Amino acid sequence: MSNTRQRLVGVDLFAGAGGMSLGAKMAGIDVLFAVENDKNAVATYACNHPETQLFIDDIRNLKQIDLQCGGRGKVLFGGPPCQGFSTSNQRTRHKDNPSNWLFQEFIRIAALWVPDWIVFENVRGIIETDQGLFRQSIIQGLQELGYTCSDAVLCATNFGVPQVRYRFFLVGSRHGISVEMPKPTIRNSVTVIQAIGDLPSLENGANKNHLSYPFMVQSDYAKEMRNGHIGCSGHLVSKNSSIVIDRYKFIPQGGNWENIPGSMMNSYSDRTRCHTGIYRRLRADHPSVVIGNYRKNMLIHPFEDRGLSVREAARLQSFPDWYEFKGSIGFQQQQVGNAVPPLLAKAVFLG
């Protein structure tokens, strides 16, 4: 798509908080239309993308996209709900989960709008679920519409995102172009401390919407995220019970629940069945682990005995500090965790 001479017009399906739209805009695409059904994600999207027309409804009710594109090229992009394909969701990771078939709506809209380009995103697990059934179904559906498809699993760390997050991307061309998927753009990974080390120290349960930066910028990445601002919003931290905070104190950087004394885990019927990602304290000198449901998993700040703030998680996802999240803390955490890292999306759109 980077070889396209004219500025593209974009439509974002399953837009969420707008991470993929932001990446598209960073790559020079005019995102004119987006589809999202969740009211909290809609509030966030509308706040940060006021020029984009929003269809606020179930995507199955979208019957037409009426845009004035001025003869410019069109790109349709998005990532259908992916929880059913996640390796941490074995109960719903199969073809009988109706949510796993929402990719068919993506194909339906492609047939309706006939874009020049397709960018489809999802978790890596989509290529493994039911022996690759869903990946093959998506490719076959797009090929039947005349698209030449290229796909790959990309790691966000390789594109400047301070997080080890693998995502599946498929790029389709209606003009017979077989796209070479993007190669890593950085040599040295951005670490957690480089990403969040300049942000305020916070307490368990902090509820500060806007704070000035307390430290000088400490890395090129942090400077990019600040973008000349003197402060930012989102300093919201889940309030954990004293028992949970006491557990945190036993966990070193890179450690998890296994570092907690067994006598302090009596609330778990079988602590040996805990996922390795539970009670994970981030390593300051490494990229972050996946920022998914980080409240439920209780990801821990590398130095402080508390969970991550919304802004810290957003930094680890590569959202710039001017980007504001709306809704209660729980909904903001969900929006950040579900988002496509903008810098990763940007790399794909640039090709």
Side-chain angles (χ1 to χ4, degrees):
M1 279 173 286
S2 60
N3 295 325
T4 304
R5 293 181 182 177
Q6 57 188 180
R7 193 176 177 101
L8 295 170
V9 169
V11 167
D12 189 351
L13 306 181
F14 309 98
M20 207 164 179
S21 279
L22 181 57
K25 290 180 178 181
M26 289 175 174
I29 295 168
D30 291 325
V31 183
L32 301 185
F33 191 86
V35 180
E36 179 53 47
N37 196 29
D38 179 85
K39 64 178 183 180
N40 294 288
V42 163
T44 294
Y45 192 102
C47 172
N48 295 284
H49 305 275
E51 73 288 350
T52 302
Q53 180 185 344
L54 271 165
F55 180 80
I56 309 169
D57 200 347
D58 189 314
I59 192 171
R60 286 167 284 208
N61 295 327
L62 178 63
K63 305 304 180 186
Q64 65 177 14
I65 298 176
D66 188 15
L67 293 177
Q68 299 300 316
C69 299
R72 292 183 290 171
K74 304 186 294 186
V75 54
L76 179 72
F77 59 91
C82 61
Q83 289 84 356
F85 300 120
S86 172
T87 54
S88 62
N89 250 351
Q90 296 298 333
R91 292 181 182 178
T92 59
R93 200 166 173 241
H94 51 72
K95 63 180 182 295
D96 296 325
N97 179 4
S99 293
N100 291 351
W101 292 92
L102 278 171
F103 73 84
Q104 292 178 330
E105 289 300 304
F106 192 101
I107 295 171
R108 180 181 71 84
I109 301 302
L112 181 74
W113 195 48
V114 197
D116 299 276
W117 294 94
I118 295 282
V119 178
F120 178 95
E121 176 275 342
N122 219 278
V123 295
R124 176 171 56 176
I126 196 170
I127 67 175
E128 302 159 353
T129 303
D130 279 301
Q131 292 77 50
L133 168 68
F134 292 98
R135 173 183 173 274
Q136 283 305 118
S137 296
I138 295 161
I139 291 174
Q140 181 179 340
L142 291 173
Q143 287 176 338
E144 289 174 355
L145 294 179
Y147 289 90
T148 300
C149 298
S150 309
D151 66 295
V153 173
L154 304 177
C155 183
T157 314
N158 293 328
F159 301 94
V161 182
Q163 179 189 167
V164 181
R165 187 185 188 102
Y166 290 91
R167 305 295 285 193
F168 169 79
F169 283 90
L170 182 151
V171 177
S173 165
R174 197 165 60 88
H175 306 289
I177 301 171
S178 183
V179 174
E180 184 177 354
M181 300 301 282
K183 297 291 190 295
T185 57
I186 65 165
R187 184 171 297 178
N188 298 314
S189 301
V190 181
T191 66
V192 169
I193 194 65
Q194 289 171 332
I196 68 172
D198 64 309
L199 293 176
S201 177
L202 299 172
E203 297 179 351
N204 174 45
N207 186 22
K208 311 283 187 182
N209 185 43
H210 194 282
L211 290 172
S212 298
Y213 298 118
F215 307 112
M216 296 291 290
V217 69
Q218 298 180 17
S219 68
D220 290 340
Y221 181 83
K223 183 178 181 180
E224 180 183 357
M225 294 298 103
R226 287 189 181 192
N227 194 31
H229 288 69
I230 61 171
C232 60
S233 63
H235 306 289
L236 313 176
V237 180
S238 290
K239 187 169 182 59
N240 294 129
S241 67
S242 58
I243 231 171
V244 169
I245 298 299
D246 286 341
R247 289 170 180 163
Y248 286 170
K249 296 173 182 177
F250 287 92
I251 304 171
Q253 290 188 23
N256 63 5
W257 66 269
E258 294 175 318
N259 299 105
I260 303 170
S263 60
M264 298 185 68
M265 298 286 281
N266 291 333
S267 57
Y268 289 83
S269 56
D270 183 1
R271 68 191 292 265
T272 63
R273 298 182 64 184
C274 287
H275 191 276
T276 56
I278 301 294
Y279 286 98
R280 171 76 67 181
R281 189 184 291 275
L282 299 183
R283 290 189 57 169
D285 59 348
H286 281 60
S288 172
V289 298
V290 172
I291 300 297
N293 192 339
Y294 65 95
R295 176 191 62 81
K296 181 179 178 182
N297 289 346
M298 291 179 284
L299 287 185
I300 313 169
H301 189 279
F303 302 111
E304 300 175 14
D305 293 325
R306 61 168 175 83
L308 298 175
S309 71
V310 169
R311 179 53 56 194
E312 288 163 346
R315 279 272 188 104
L316 296 173
Q317 281 276 59
S318 74
F319 278 98
D321 289 355
W322 58 262
Y323 210 91
E324 293 194 26
F325 297 89
K326 300 297 183 180
S328 67
I329 179 174
F331 287 120
Q332 291 188 38
Q333 291 167 329
Q334 183 179 22
Q335 291 169 46
V336 173
N338 287 347
V340 179
L343 288 182
L344 176 58
K346 175 187 175 183
V348 175
F349 284 115
L350 285 176

